[in-house]
Amino acid sequence: MKPVTLKSFIPGIAWFFVILILICLPGNEIPEPTGWLEWMKLIRVDKLVHTGIFALLSFLFIRPIAKSPLSQKEKWNYIIKISIATSIWGLCTELIQKYFIPTRSFDMVDWVADSIGAILSLVFCRIVFATYLKKSAI
């Protein structure tokens, strides 16, 4: 297996900046669902979007670690730290919106959705990358 390189984290870094750009959009520039899309307001689709974008962020950073030659213990150490960091980034995005972005606000439920995305990514990677993680058992 190849060692972990900075190049393997480029997709995660790029997605991090996509999220940063999205959270910096003023609230009045985000279109409201209208017409047949109004059902989206009822089921709070925006929370699913939060979960999805943060699950993808976490996954893009976990993947290179899971496929690395690190020991199983080192991999899980990093994977858990990545999931925690993803959740903290979700909290930071909410604080950025509250204090720096016009017409945006802090939403605790958004942060919970972000954290659920990080946890789902960890669980998904636990299942999908189990073979990679077991290959380098201590």
Side-chain angles (χ1 to χ4, degrees), residues 7 22 25 29 35 37 42 58 67-68 73 82 84 121:
K7 183 179 177 182
L22 291 174
L25 292 174
E29 289 188 21
L37 293 176
L42 296 173
S58 183
K67 292 188 170 193
S68 74
K73 184 177 179 180
I82 289 167
I84 292 169
S121 182

Side-chain angles (χ1 to χ4, degrees), residues 90-104:
L91 177 61
C92 291
T93 63
E94 292 304 315
L95 293 171
I96 289 168
Q97 288 176 339
K98 178 178 181 175
Y99 293 110
F100 300 106
I101 311 300
T103 65
R104 297 293 290 267

Side-chain angles (χ1 to χ4, degrees), residues 50-80:
H50 275 266
T51 300
I53 64 175
F54 279 84
L56 180 58
L57 178 66
S58 183
F59 174 79
L60 292 172
F61 280 100
I62 289 173
R63 186 175 184 269
I65 297 297
K67 292 188 170 193
S68 74
L70 298 170
S71 71
Q72 184 177 8
K73 184 177 179 180
E74 290 174 311
K75 286 178 185 183
W76 279 110
N77 186 20
Y78 282 117
I79 288 170
I80 290 168

